[in-house]
Amino acid sequence: MDKFKIVGGASLHGELPVSGSKNSALPALAAALLTDEPVILHGIPRVKDIATMESLLVHIGAAVELQNGAVHVDARNLERPEAPYEVVKTMRASSLVLGPLAARTGRARVSMPGGCAIGARPINLHLSALEQLGATIEQTHGYVEAVAPGGLRGGNIHFDRITVTGTEDLLMAAVLARGETIIRNAAREPEVKDLAELLNKMGAKIEGAGTSIIRVTGVERLHGAEHTIIPDRIEAGTFLLAGAITNGDVTVTGCNPEHVAALTIKMTQAGAEIENAGANALRARCCRRPRAVDVTTEEYPGFATDLQAQYMAWMTIAQGISFVTETIFENRFMHTQELARMGANIRIEGRQAIVAGEDCLTGAQVIASDLRASASLVLAAMVAKGETIIDRVYHMDRGYERIEEKLAAVGADIERIR
Ligand code: EPU
């Protein structure tokens, strides 16, 4: 199993380019199932979760090819409209094929996701929304089957709680349903908006994506399209924090500053200097320990849960005590025990982590428990005294493209060891 060896202490200086968004690329690939014409996607990051989604599309019957850096999906044949257990257990976002398959073929079978390192993460909201569109849902032998032989029909959906992939799944079902669908309490994440843009290019009629009420007028068929995925805001945020935690000066390029505003405002309050460096770049500098500044995770445009662990890594060396409150997932503090092995002083009380900043961290052997937890350990290791070995970096490989190469290019002492 690959590990990272990181020697802390080096300040990062230079440009950190951001890849395409993993969480936008996943639904975009699933959306290609909605048409029998080719869909060409640019900016798809070469990370493990994407490889998993691509192999799922191939299992279903689509042809997936990488040509000149763009992913071409041809889903004219859908022989097996299903997501088997082997795939879903490695990536929960596989449930994103449920909506498009039910819409296009009238039948979809997806293994129920089990527990997850960061919380229970059920898909009950996806299922009840699909039922509202006329699908019959049955659960047997660990699989959920959605059947709509006569096709789906428009419906009035109100999500009991905001769900990102639930909104995306339903959007992909509604575009081919007969009549109008209104989705209320929809997720407003940029990835939802990006998906709607792709679907509209494919001939869908969606209005309001990016707000909490989305209106969809169903169409009979969709056609092929070409689309560029938005930049990964979580990678961008991770890099801004990497610049700050190492007392460096980095320019994060190819990002959308608006998408990370909740983070950059907190970082500025904590003492980092963040400025626009052109329309698609942000410069982050810091020359001292941060001040302790509290955060509470929320749905977009609030502070992203996917940046909570990385922000907490920075707060472990802050002056003062910060409160980090997690409201999206019930178990997203696995990184705190590993950060504690590096000298961090963190107490967990329910959904709140109380972080008392220390003068310094020290390198240690630690284990990555999930994708964003691994990123927080990399950040902590870059500022810790001495050497840190991070085990199970396969979690990191699920969502960050060549991160060790990108960080090493701006001065980090990081190496992948096998
Ligand atoms: N929820 C339910 N029932 C459902 C769906 C969600 O109870 O049917 C709950 C979840 O358990 C959670 C909350 O609602 O407590 C919000 O979950 P959401 O559905 O929004 O999360 P998701 O769509 O499964 C996406 C991202 C996550 C990110 C969350 C929140 C993708 C592929 N995944 O997950 O990304 O943390 O939204 O922003 O888009 C990551 O990239 O590391 C990652 C975990």
Side-chain angles (χ1 to χ4, degrees):
M1 241 183 286
D2 289 7
K3 299 182 175 72
F4 279 159
K5 184 171 109 184
I6 299 174
V7 180
S11 284
L12 304 191
H13 289 266
E15 285 192 6
L16 283 162
V18 173
S19 299
S21 160
K22 163 185 83 82
N23 288 349
S24 226
L26 289 169
L29 287 164
L33 295 172
L34 285 162
T35 174
D36 57 5
E37 294 181 14
V39 172
I40 301 170
L41 299 168
H42 299 271
I44 301 279
R46 302 318 302 165
V47 296
K48 187 70 184 33
D49 274 6
I50 296 299
T52 306
M53 182 56 103
E54 289 172 351
S55 54
L56 174 57
L57 298 189
V58 169
H59 170 87
I60 290 168
V64 181
E65 271 178 33
L66 189 62
Q67 288 177 23
N68 302 326
V71 175
H72 293 232
V73 184
D74 183 336
R76 117 187 36 174
N77 300 315
L78 301 179
E79 290 139 32
R80 286 172 297 274
E82 58 162 29
Y85 177 64
E86 288 65 39
V87 184
V88 179
K89 77 173 184 214
T90 60
M91 190 186 64
R92 309 173 61 80
S94 317
S95 54
L96 279 168
V97 300
L98 193 59
L101 287 177
R104 172 125 175 256
T105 70
R107 187 174 160 263
R109 194 169 167 266
V110 170
S111 170
M112 289 292 287
C116 170
I118 60 176
R121 305 185 73 186
I123 57 164
N124 58 311
L125 300 173
H126 305 224
L127 301 181
S128 58
L130 275 175
E131 274 181 328
Q132 301 287 311
L133 296 194
T136 306
I137 306 284
E138 260 190 44
Q139 291 182 37
T140 45
H141 305 294
Y143 277 78
V144 51
E145 192 154 354
V147 187
L152 298 170
R153 53 172 154 72
N156 243 318
I157 313 296
H158 180 278
F159 279 113
D160 286 344
R161 100 169 260 188
I162 296 174
T163 159
V164 179
T165 50
T167 303
E168 293 164 348
D169 215 358
L170 193 78
L171 206 48
M172 290 188 276
V175 286
L176 288 182
R178 276 188 313 280
E180 190 182 59
T181 299
I182 301 184
I183 310 174
R184 293 190 172 79
N185 206 23
R188 291 175 288 166
E189 268 64 6
E191 293 77 17
V192 173
K193 200 167 168 213
D194 197 30
L195 171 65
E197 264 167 40
L198 166 63
L199 292 169
N200 281 343
K201 284 183 191 168
M202 293 167 70
K205 291 191 177 147
I206 304 169
E207 281 171 25
T211 75
S212 53
I213 301 183
I214 306 180
R215 283 170 205 276
V216 186
T217 307
V219 296
E220 218 149 87
R221 63 182 298 272
L222 296 183
H223 51 73
E226 191 159 353
H227 183 69
T228 302
I229 298 300
I230 56 169
D232 196 307
R233 63 194 167 101
I234 307 304
E235 187 190 28
T238 306
F239 287 164
L240 292 170
L241 286 161
I245 203 169
T246 62
N247 282 345
D249 180 352
V250 300
T251 301
V252 178
T253 59
C255 67
N256 183 332
E258 187 53 36
H259 291 172
V260 285
L263 170 71
T264 52
I265 288 166
K266 288 289 175 186
M267 287 181 69
T268 307
Q269 286 168 5
E273 283 177 56
I274 312 274
E275 62 188 63
N276 285 328
N280 300 315
L282 279 171
R283 181 175 179 192
R285 279 176 290 176
C286 194
C287 52
R288 62 182 80 83
R289 284 173 66 191
R291 282 187 289 277
V293 174
D294 302 345
V295 297
T296 298
T297 63
E298 278 170 5
E299 294 88 0
Y300 190 82
F303 191 97
T305 173
D306 289 346
L307 284 169
Q308 178 257 104
Q310 301 89 314
Y311 180 83
M312 193 191 294
W314 193 35
M315 286 299 113
T316 64
I317 53 156
Q319 282 179 308
I321 296 176
S322 57
F323 291 77
V324 176
T325 309
E326 172 59 51
T327 71
I328 308 293
F329 292 110
E330 61 272 25
N331 188 28
R332 210 171 199 183
F333 283 143
M334 303 276 277
H335 47 283
T336 59
Q337 292 139 26
E338 300 303 301
L339 289 172
R341 303 199 64 252
M342 301 174 71
N345 183 348
I346 306 170
R347 198 171 78 226
I348 304 294
E349 286 190 359
R351 294 201 154 201
Q352 199 161 56
I354 304 157
V355 187
E358 293 287 336
D359 290 345
C360 70
L361 300 178
T362 52
Q365 291 197 344
V366 289
I367 295 181
S369 56
D370 71 70
L371 171 56
R372 309 304 172 188
S374 353
S376 81
L377 297 178
V378 169
L379 294 182
M382 287 194 299
V383 71
K385 284 205 168 79
E387 182 181 286
T388 295
I389 304 286
I390 305 177
D391 202 351
R392 300 195 191 163
V393 296
Y394 61 83
H395 286 295
M396 193 104 195
D397 295 333
R398 291 184 57 181
Y400 288 91
E401 191 175 50
R402 300 179 292 104
I403 188 148
E404 72 276 28
E405 287 174 33
K406 290 187 185 182
L407 292 174
V410 291
D413 188 342
I414 176 169
E415 186 188 344
R416 185 181 287 263
I417 52 177
R418 292 175 205 274

